[in-house]
Every structure is written in structure tokens, then in C-alpha cells.
Amino acid sequence: MSGPREQIVALSRALGDPALDLAILGEGNTSLRTGEGSMLVKASGASLASVTDADFVELETAPLTALLDDPAADDAAVAQAFAPVEERTGRRPSVEAMLHAVCLELGGAHAVGHTHPVPVVALLCSRHAEALATEMLFPDQIVVLGRRPLFVPYVDPGLALARRVRDELETHVARHGEPPKVIYLGNHGLFALGATPEHVLQITAMAVKASRVLAGALAVGGPSALAEAEADRIDARPDEHYRRAALARARRWETGDA
């Protein structure tokens, strides 16, 4: 059984595979829960495609989420919070570390992958961006991405974005009773909130497919979304619940397969 560092390296390299076109250069970041209130997160500037275990830092989530509740906190406060980690490891956590902490703690994820897939970003940079979260076009989109993905308009990455996503997640959970599996960030990219590293890959791949389908539908006259009742039925079907649970339990890296 592989350990947390081996799992997050494998996930990161898979997301950074140039053939998938999900992230290039230093784009994207990943995180993995390592215990109650702790996580591994990619260091700033490391490339997903070539990361090693030295490119990840372990830190507590509570000090990061506490910054979101402090109205006086700013970029200097973030740098101060990161300083002990940087001094200890020689690496600075990703600027999105606070958002990863939100996704792990409030979003209920065990693993998180943030990428900038070209088909997804193309739509997120268009006036049809929100349709990724509101237009359910085909059954597997619902099975893998959930009935209600979350769309958040563009916010400056870092502290401001983490605060906005935290607020949107709280509203989403209060309204729907569960967190989303994917968060679409306008003009930016996506966050996949997975039960396992493999689940993160599944969510990311389906988000890319949904984006391509939506773009294709827009090119030939516009999308014909599933009716609300049809989408709700797919979301509630027992057989789809079984398939969804089986997918979420996938743990290929614990068997040594990468």
C-alpha cells in the first residue's frame, strides 16, 4: 500500500501529463488529507508533470482557514502564515493552499486537484461559463460530477478567492445538503473534490468531457439540456448511486499501479 506522498505524487503527475492538456509549466496544484486537520499540498512553482515528494509540504489547515475569518488579514498575513513552513522545508506552499484547506475541511474531500484544462477554461472565459454548473446535458455528467456543480465568478487567486469559495460552499451545503464534487472558477480553472486520488482524476476527466460536449452543442445551435425531472431522476437512481459509490472508492495507487 502506497503512502500519502506516493499517492499525491502519482495524482499530480497524472494531472500534469502533457497528453491530457490539463496544466502546463507551473499551473495547477494538488492536496491530500494526511490526518485530522492536516494536509500535503504542492509547493509553489513546481510542475505537476515532474513533481517529486520534495515538492510537497505538510501543514495544518486550521491556521489557514482562520485567516479567512480575520477581516484584517491580507497578503502579508498569508506570507507570515506560510513562513514557518518555508523555513522548515525550504518550500513555499501554493498560493491556493487556503482554498485547498477549504475544499478538504468544508468540502469534505480527501484529495483535491486544481487544473486549467483548455476546453474547460475556454468556456470559463466565455459568457456561457455558468452553464457548466447549470446545464446537465448527459447522464454520466450527473453521475460523476453530481447534480449541482458550483460556479464561482472570477476572484483574485489567494486569500480573496478562498474566502469567496468558502462562502459559496457554505451556501451550497445549506441549500443542497452536500458539497459539490467540482468547483468551476470563472476565467480560471476547476477544483475537483474527490474521495480518493483516482476520484479526482475521474471528476477532472468528466469535467473536460462536459466542457467539450457543451462547446460542441453551442457550435451547432445551442445545448438541449436534460429537464429538471430527468436530471433529478438520474441523480436519485439506485443503480447510479451504486456506480457512483464504486467509482469514488477506486484506489489504484494503493495497489502500486500508477
Side-chain angles (χ1 to χ4, degrees):
M1 180 181 292
S2 59
R5 286 188 177 270
E6 290 81 6
Q7 291 179 45
I8 196 170
V9 167
L11 169 62
S12 301
R13 288 183 177 176
L15 291 174
D17 183 348
L20 298 181
D21 206 17
L22 303 176
I24 64 172
L25 303 175
E27 286 183 342
N29 34 72
T30 51
S31 64
L32 184 71
R33 186 187 298 276
T34 55
E36 188 66 31
S38 63
M39 68 175 179
L40 283 168
V41 67
K42 187 178 79 75
S44 182
S47 171
L48 287 174
S50 58
V51 291
T52 68
D53 59 6
D55 292 313
F56 295 90
V57 295
E58 188 166 14
L59 64 165
E60 301 298 314
T61 57
L64 301 182
T65 54
L67 285 173
L68 309 184
D69 296 320
D70 180 0
D74 55 13
D75 290 341
V78 175
Q80 186 176 1
F82 285 170
V85 179
E86 194 170 359
E87 290 171 4
R88 184 177 74 250
T89 66
R91 305 300 301 271
R92 181 181 177 86
S94 165
V95 69
E96 303 290 12
M98 291 169 293
L99 183 43
H100 279 272
V102 168
C103 291
L104 292 170
E105 299 302 332
L106 184 58
H110 180 76
V112 177
H114 170 46
T115 54
H116 303 163
V118 172
V120 179
V121 175
L123 281 170
L124 290 174
C125 292
S126 80
R127 64 180 180 272
H128 302 286
E130 194 168 0
L132 283 170
T134 59
E135 301 284 314
M136 298 295 103
L137 301 177
F138 55 95
D140 278 348
Q141 180 185 16
I142 298 169
V143 173
V144 178
L145 301 183
R147 177 69 178 85
R148 295 176 178 85
L150 177 62
F151 172 74
V152 179
Y154 182 81
V155 179
D156 188 43
L159 185 59
L161 178 58
R163 281 177 172 148
R164 176 65 180 270
V165 171
R166 186 271 310 270
D167 294 345
E168 295 283 355
L169 271 175
E170 288 178 343
T171 300
H172 187 283
V173 172
R175 181 176 299 156
H176 303 299
E178 61 182 4
K181 293 181 176 64
V182 59
I183 302 173
Y184 295 108
L185 304 176
N187 298 85
H188 186 161
L190 69 88
F191 270 74
L193 284 62
T196 65
E198 173 71 11
H199 195 205
V200 169
L201 279 181
Q202 295 168 0
I203 293 166
T204 304
M206 189 58 70
V208 171
K209 178 177 179 177
S211 297
R212 287 178 172 149
V213 171
L214 177 56
L218 287 167
V220 291
S224 176
L226 294 168
E228 289 287 315
E230 294 170 335
D232 289 343
R233 167 61 179 156
I234 292 165
D235 192 43
R237 283 176 55 139
D239 57 329
E240 298 296 20
H241 272 276
Y242 180 86
R243 189 158 65 104
R244 179 181 289 162
L247 288 168
R249 287 193 300 268
R251 295 176 180 272
R252 68 170 172 166
W253 288 300
E254 290 192 359
T255 66
D257 299 327

